Amino acid sequence: MASTAAGKQRIPKVAKVKNKAPAEVQITAEQLLREAKERELELLPPPPKQKITDEEELNDYKLKKRKGFEDNIRKNRTVISNWIKYAQWEESLKEVQRARSIYERALDVDHRNIALWLKYAEMEMKNRQVNHARNIWDRAITILPRVNQFWYKYSYMEEMLGNVAGCRQVFERWMEWEPEEQAWHSFINFELRYKEVEKARSIYERFVIVHPEVKNWIKYAHFEEKHGYIAHSRKVFERAVEFFGEDNINENLYVAFARFEEKQKEFERVRVVYKYALDRIPKQKAQELFKSYTVFEKKFGDRRGIEDVIVNKRRFQYEEEVKANPHNYDAWFDYLRLVESDADPDTVREVYERAIANIPPIQEKRHWRRYIYLWINYALYEELEVKDPERTRQVYQACLELIPHKKFTFAKIWLLYGQFEIRQKNLVFARRGMGTAIGKCPKNKLFKGYIELELQLREFDRCRKLYEKYLEFAPENCTTWIKFAELETILGDTDRARAIFELAIGQPRLDMPEVLWKSYIDSEIEQEEYGNTRELYKRLLQRTQHVKVWISYAHFELSIEGGGRLGRCRQIYEEANKGMRSCEEKEERLMLLESWRDFEREFGNDSTQDRVSKLLPEKVKKRRKLTAEDGSDAGWEEYYDYIFPEDAANQPNLKLLAMAKMWKKEQMQDEVDEEEEEELAREREWELAKEKEREEEERLMEEARQREKEEEEEEEEDEEEGEGRTPRRERNGEPREKRSPEGAAHDDRDDDDESSSSSSGSSSRSSSGSSSSDSGSGSDSDSDNDDEAKKAKSNKDSKKKNDEA
């Protein structure tokens, strides 16, 4: 204070950061929040549950809760969810007055909140406070008249209370606001529910003025047509045409108008409407209109005569075909398709009766297959097109009486008849028909269809009886046994299902026993009865030693969680290998060993893998003699066989064969070694020859250099004596020292020849002593050069031969 009074203001010290470099590990706010979430630092344990035993504790609890709600509201008054939760809590305590007070306080805060009004009104309706609810709805629609939900709920409440007048009054208030189309439809449907057609008509009049659209005028006209006011409907269409005029013309209006007149059989009016519209609507906008007009003219216009001619012509052709061959059922089908599309029911019935009168002459099923579809089509036509169930029943019964069931039957007819009776809700007739079918001519398809029908009706006892009859008829059918057991399993009677499987596998003859055993085993696995499953596998292996059974058994043991599963699985593979040593199908044994190898690769160690690898067979190619069907020789064929190590150890012939193969392999290896040694010797000789040739060439080059040196010395001596001459050039004009050694050698020989000739030429002029000495020296040098040239040529020839070798 003293310092402030003295005029000095103390400034707080700012912490000085010595090292302003960024930290090595950066951290963000997002990372802090994520770590807090992962470590659950802000999660609080749930509050302990409190049991209220007397009224005082209840009052304390209420006070505490109310205080909490009031605190939340005080913190933020605009959060409407807090108000709603508070009011709903008070409502749960049956404190309706308090809840009402809370809602009123909330409305003071935000009176335009839709959810708040809805919750408030629903609370009043739930507590049967009808007048309060009406007051709330009135206030809501007054304050928010454009919220359609308020109007819908208000009108629905009044209608549910039976206050039709009040509901109508609500709708009338709503219509004053000219709402959307759905609101008008709701009002109209309300009036129609109470048979107030005139009031609905007046509403439609207002509706098409408020929403002047083509579809609304069409709905108005359809409304009049539906209630039988044809004149009113026509008048509505005419008013619509006048209302829209030529500026806002629409093809949908004219199409609807024309179809209406077509329904009333006013074909001339229809034609006038189409022509009026086509004259005023542009072609690109009148595609649907033109299409409808074309269809109409095809049906009722001038083209009708042409189509009648074509139809009659085709009918005449079909008549000729069926007269020529009454049993040509394909022609009858085409004829019936024609008359069905164009004739009345009586004509169609007449053609059907004529067609089914042509019964096949031979009682064999293949001749009846096409014929029976005439009856099926006849029955379906009567049921679907004419909608005469009684006549349909007569058709089915006549067909069933006609078929010779003792020789053959058609399950399709019986099933269609049963399904027809079900559609007519005559369950007794349907069961009677199916029972007659099973009694007269039992078939697999009939039993399956009847059982499926009873399953759909959830008559499980009847299904059991049908399965028993089915199994008496076909005890070898494994699919039936499986389906019966599955039904019992679905119904929860596993003991019964197990007994059915036991009966099934005990049958002396089965069509697919492997499927039956597999289903039984799968059923026990689903029930987690692993002990029973093992017993089943053992029983199955007593009957068959098939490789797939062993592999399935091993996979089953491997799939069971728990200790020792690998040992059990390995033991099964070992037993299977022992059991299949005598098996003639070696591919199956190989399949088992490959499965065992895959198992050991996934779960075993090196020793077990090596053990299984040693058991794998060797694939060898063999030949065998073929014999034709007549016993003659058909030649030989090659095939692959497998030799297992365990079998090879027990057969001495195989040992002998293996030793012979080893001996042959060693012989081939020795031959290969000898050829390699000879090749190496030839290479060494060639290298020696090359080395000699190089040495000879070096020697010749050295001698040539020596001669060149001597000549140079002689030239120098001649120059000193005063008889010097310029150095001799080669024929190509290059200096001697730039030539190669071979060229130098050739030059030396040329020089020798020249010296010899000069010496011989000068012998006539010089003295005898000097000539004899010169000629003797020339002849010696020529002989030496010839010897050297021969040696060089021989070396070249030997080199060429070596290269060729």
Side-chain angles (χ1 to χ4, degrees):
M1 293 294 291
S3 62
T4 303
K8 294 181 181 179
Q9 187 175 1
R10 182 175 297 174
I11 300 173
K13 292 184 179 180
V14 180
K16 294 182 180 180
V17 179
K18 296 181 180 179
N19 187 4
K20 295 185 179 180
E24 295 180 357
V25 180
Q26 296 290 322
I27 190 166
T28 61
E30 181 184 358
Q31 188 174 354
L32 291 172
L33 292 174
R34 190 185 303 113
E35 289 180 358
K37 177 67 177 175
E38 290 173 354
R39 298 177 184 177
E40 297 182 351
L41 299 176
E42 296 181 0
L43 292 179
L44 298 176
K49 292 184 179 180
Q50 180 180 2
K51 291 185 179 180
I52 299 172
T53 56
D54 57 3
E55 186 176 358
E56 184 177 356
E57 290 182 359
L58 178 61
N59 292 332
D60 292 339
Y61 169 73
K62 289 180 180 179
L63 182 63
K64 182 179 178 182
K65 289 290 288 184
R66 284 175 182 143
K67 186 176 183 302
F69 281 119
E70 291 292 342
D71 290 339
N72 288 336
I73 290 169
R74 195 180 303 111
K75 288 177 185 176
N76 195 345
R77 290 169 57 83
T78 59
V79 179
I80 301 301
S81 60
N82 292 336
W83 294 95
I84 293 174
K85 289 177 184 178
Y86 191 8
Q88 287 177 345
W89 180 79
E90 292 291 352
E91 183 187 356
S92 66
L93 297 176
K94 305 299 181 183
E95 296 286 346
V96 179
Q97 192 61 36
R98 285 180 174 273
R100 191 178 290 127
S101 174
I102 293 164
Y103 276 120
E104 291 293 340
R105 290 167 57 196
L107 289 173
D108 291 338
V109 174
D110 186 5
H111 65 280
R112 303 188 66 83
N113 191 293
I114 298 171
L116 189 60
W117 285 104
L118 292 174
K119 295 289 184 183
Y120 192 5
E122 286 172 4
M123 182 200 74
E124 297 292 355
M125 287 191 291
K126 271 195 257 182
N127 291 283
R128 301 180 182 276
Q129 301 293 327
V130 178
N131 290 327
H132 283 88
R134 283 196 182 104
N135 292 334
I136 293 166
W137 289 125
D138 282 329
R139 291 165 59 193
I141 62 178
T142 302
I143 295 171
L144 301 170
R146 292 296 180 185
V147 180
N148 293 334
Q149 199 171 3
F150 293 160
W151 294 100
Y152 282 122
K153 287 186 174 291
Y154 192 7
S155 59
Y156 180 78
M157 184 191 77
E158 293 293 351
E159 189 176 0
M160 289 297 102
L161 293 172
N163 187 8
V164 178
C167 184
R168 185 176 291 114
Q169 186 179 2
V170 171
F171 272 116
E172 289 291 345
R173 290 174 60 187
W174 190 8
M175 296 305 112
E176 292 175 1
W177 291 94
E178 298 183 355
E180 60 187 14
E181 296 176 6
Q182 187 58 40
W184 292 92
H185 291 310
S186 299
F187 193 7
I188 292 167
N189 293 333
F190 163 76
E191 294 294 353
L192 292 177
R193 282 197 293 271
Y194 295 97
K195 312 298 182 185
E196 297 290 343
V197 180
E198 289 295 328
K199 291 182 179 179
R201 184 180 291 117
S202 64
I203 296 167
Y204 259 119
E205 290 288 343
R206 295 157 57 192
F207 173 42
V208 295
I209 299 302
V210 174
H211 295 283
E213 295 178 12
V214 172
K215 61 179 181 179
N216 296 332
W217 283 95
I218 294 172
K219 288 178 182 177
Y220 187 11
H222 288 169
F223 159 78
E224 295 289 355
E225 181 186 359
K226 181 179 178 182
H227 291 86
Y229 299 101
I230 305 301
H232 286 88
S233 180
R234 185 177 289 115
K235 189 175 180 181
V236 170
F237 276 117
E238 292 172 355
R239 286 174 55 198
V241 171
E242 294 175 0
F243 179 82
F244 288 101
E246 294 184 3
D247 297 332
N248 299 314
I249 196 167
N250 191 300
E251 64 171 346
N252 295 328
L253 176 62
Y254 290 94
V255 170
F257 193 3
R259 287 176 180 172
F260 162 76
E261 295 292 354
E262 184 180 343
K263 288 179 184 177
Q264 309 309 318
K265 308 297 183 183
E266 296 288 344
F267 302 128
E268 290 300 323
R269 285 178 176 268
V270 175
R271 191 170 288 109
V272 169
V273 170
Y274 276 125
K275 289 181 179 179
Y276 178 85
L278 289 171
D279 291 341
R280 287 162 176 78
I281 299 177
K283 299 298 181 184
Q284 63 270 16
K285 296 182 179 179
Q287 296 297 326
E288 185 67 23
L289 184 67
F290 188 79
K291 183 178 178 182
S292 301
Y293 186 29
T294 305
V295 173
F296 167 77
E297 288 295 342
K298 283 183 178 180
K299 292 167 67 176
F300 307 106
D302 297 334
R303 296 185 183 181
R304 179 66 179 174
I306 300 172
E307 290 182 355
D308 287 341
V309 171
I310 295 171
V311 170
N312 290 331
K313 184 178 179 181
R314 291 176 61 193
R315 185 177 295 169
F316 177 77
Q317 291 175 354
Y318 288 133
E319 286 287 349
E320 292 295 324
E321 288 183 18
V322 297
K323 282 180 183 178
N325 184 8
H327 298 288
N328 184 3
Y329 300 119
D330 292 330
W332 282 109
F333 284 127
D334 295 334
Y335 190 11
L336 288 165
R337 197 176 298 114
L338 173 66
V339 296
E340 279 182 16
S341 63
D342 195 51
D344 58 294
D346 293 334
T347 306
V348 177
R349 285 193 185 112
E350 181 185 356
V351 178
Y352 266 118
E353 293 294 338
R354 288 172 56 198
I356 62 178
N358 299 296
I359 303 171
I362 303 173
Q363 290 188 353
E364 291 182 8
K365 191 169 183 178
R366 60 191 181 90
H367 295 289
W368 285 64
R369 291 186 185 278
R370 296 291 292 165
Y371 169 72
I372 209 67
Y373 276 95
L374 288 172
W375 288 95
I376 293 173
N377 291 344
Y378 190 8
L380 293 175
Y381 173 78
E382 292 289 348
E383 182 185 1
L384 301 177
E385 299 295 333
V386 186
K387 301 188 184 305
D388 189 352
E390 188 60 33
R391 194 171 181 86
T392 306
R393 187 177 290 110
Q394 293 174 6
V395 172
Y396 276 119
Q397 291 173 355
C399 178
L400 292 172
E401 290 173 2
L402 182 66
I403 298 172
H405 298 292
K406 292 184 179 179
K407 294 186 177 181
F408 59 87
T409 189
F410 291 92
K412 191 177 188 68
I413 288 287
W414 291 104
L415 293 174
L416 286 172
Y417 177 46
Q419 293 167 2
F420 161 74
E421 293 293 355
I422 291 293
R423 288 194 294 273
Q424 301 303 319
K425 301 181 180 179
N426 292 327
L427 185 58
V428 177
F429 284 7
R431 284 176 175 156
R432 187 183 300 168
M434 296 303 296
T436 305
I438 291 173
K440 282 186 176 181
C441 44
K443 288 182 66 176
N444 290 335
K445 193 173 181 181
L446 282 173
F447 277 106
K448 290 178 182 177
Y450 196 3
I451 290 169
E452 183 66 24
L453 188 146
E454 294 293 349
L455 277 175
Q456 292 177 357
L457 296 172
R458 300 296 186 267
E459 294 287 347
F460 300 114
D461 292 335
R462 288 181 178 272
C463 291
R464 289 192 177 104
K465 292 179 182 178
L466 288 172
Y467 270 120
E468 291 171 2
K469 294 289 184 184
Y470 193 5
L471 292 172
E472 290 175 5
F473 168 69
E476 72 278 0
N477 193 338
C478 291
T479 306
T480 309
W481 290 101
I482 293 168
K483 293 290 185 182
F484 193 8
E486 287 179 355
L487 174 64
E488 297 295 345
T489 305
I490 292 170
L491 296 176
D493 198 346
T494 55
D495 294 335
R496 192 180 178 93
R498 191 176 290 114
I500 291 167
F501 274 121
E502 289 293 337
L503 285 173
I505 62 178
Q507 295 297 317
R509 189 164 60 90
L510 294 170
D511 55 357
M512 293 185 294
E514 65 280 0
V515 178
L516 180 64
W517 279 95
K518 185 177 184 303
S519 299
Y520 193 5
I521 290 169
D522 292 342
S523 175
E524 294 293 347
I525 292 173
E526 287 179 1
Q527 301 296 329
E528 298 184 356
E529 295 288 346
Y530 301 128
N532 294 343
T533 307
R534 291 191 184 94
E535 292 298 323
L536 283 174
Y537 271 116
K538 291 177 182 178
R539 290 166 60 187
L540 179 57
L541 289 170
Q542 290 175 1
R543 297 192 179 193
T544 178
Q545 291 287 322
H546 199 275
V547 63
K548 291 185 178 180
V549 179
W550 285 107
I551 293 173
S552 176
Y553 190 11
H555 289 172
F556 158 73
E557 291 290 353
L558 188 62
S559 65
I560 299 175
E561 298 294 333
R565 62 178 185 137
L566 299 181
R568 291 194 299 269
C569 184
R570 191 174 287 113
Q571 183 179 359
I572 291 167
Y573 277 119
E574 292 175 355
E575 291 175 3
N577 188 31
K578 291 178 183 177
M580 296 189 70
R581 285 179 183 173
S582 60
C583 180
E584 295 181 358
E585 296 294 331
K586 295 185 178 181
E587 286 82 5
E588 294 185 359
R589 189 175 175 187
L590 175 62
M591 191 189 304
L592 175 72
L593 291 173
E594 288 176 349
S595 176
W596 191 2
R597 179 189 63 191
D598 296 339
F599 161 77
E600 295 294 349
R601 283 178 180 174
E602 187 173 0
F603 301 100
N605 50 29
D606 295 338
S607 61
T608 57
Q609 291 178 15
D610 293 338
R611 179 188 173 193
V612 176
S613 299
K614 291 177 181 178
L615 295 176
L616 290 172
E618 181 183 3
K619 187 176 181 181
V620 296
K621 186 187 289 186
K622 293 185 178 180
R623 298 176 67 215
R624 59 187 170 196
K625 196 171 184 179
L626 295 177
T627 306
E629 295 180 356
D630 56 354
S632 61
D633 188 7
W636 295 79
E637 74 166 352
E638 291 185 352
Y639 70 99
Y640 287 100
D641 195 7
Y642 297 95
I643 299 176
F644 291 85
E646 296 175 348
D647 298 343
N650 299 328
Q651 297 182 12
N653 293 334
L654 296 177
K655 286 186 177 180
L656 182 61
L657 181 63
M659 292 172 65
K661 285 185 176 181
M662 186 63 71
W663 176 81
K664 186 175 181 181
K665 188 175 181 181
E666 290 177 355
Q667 290 292 327
M668 292 176 66
Q669 187 66 34
D670 292 342
E671 292 177 0
V672 170
D673 293 343
E674 289 177 359
E675 290 178 356
E676 290 180 353
E677 289 177 357
E678 291 177 358
E679 184 68 24
L680 290 173
R682 284 195 296 271
E683 289 180 357
R684 282 195 294 272
E685 289 177 359
W686 184 76
E687 289 177 356
L688 289 173
K690 292 271 285 182
E691 185 68 27
K692 288 179 180 178
E693 185 178 355
R694 282 195 297 272
E695 291 177 356
E696 187 67 23
E697 288 179 356
E698 290 177 357
R699 187 179 64 77
L700 291 173
M701 291 172 67
E702 185 65 29
E703 290 177 354
R705 283 195 291 271
Q706 287 290 339
R707 284 194 299 273
E708 189 174 343
K709 219 182 224 187
E710 291 174 357
E711 288 177 359
E712 289 178 356
E713 290 176 357
E714 290 176 358
E715 288 177 358
E716 289 176 356
E717 290 175 358
D718 292 340
E719 288 177 357
E720 289 175 358
E721 291 174 359
E723 296 177 356
R725 59 174 182 259
T726 57
R728 207 175 342 158
R729 304 274 183 177
E730 295 292 330
R731 283 184 296 270
N732 56 6
E734 293 181 358
R736 183 185 299 268
E737 57 270 11
K738 292 184 179 179
R739 297 293 182 90
S740 63
E742 290 84 359
H746 288 296
D747 292 339
D748 292 337
R749 285 195 293 273
D750 294 339
D751 293 338
D752 292 338
D753 292 338
E754 291 176 0
S755 61
S756 62
S757 61
S758 62
S759 61
S760 62
S762 60
S763 59
S764 58
R765 295 186 301 268
S766 61
S767 62
S768 59
S770 61
S771 63
S772 63
S773 62
D774 292 337
S775 62
S777 62
S779 62
D780 293 337
S781 62
D782 287 340
S783 62
D784 292 339
N785 290 333
D786 291 338
D787 293 337
E788 290 173 359
K790 287 178 182 180
K791 286 181 181 180
K793 186 175 182 182
S794 64
N795 289 334
K796 285 182 181 179
D797 292 339
S798 64
K799 180 181 178 182
K800 185 175 182 182
K801 289 180 181 180
N802 288 332
D803 291 341
E804 290 176 355

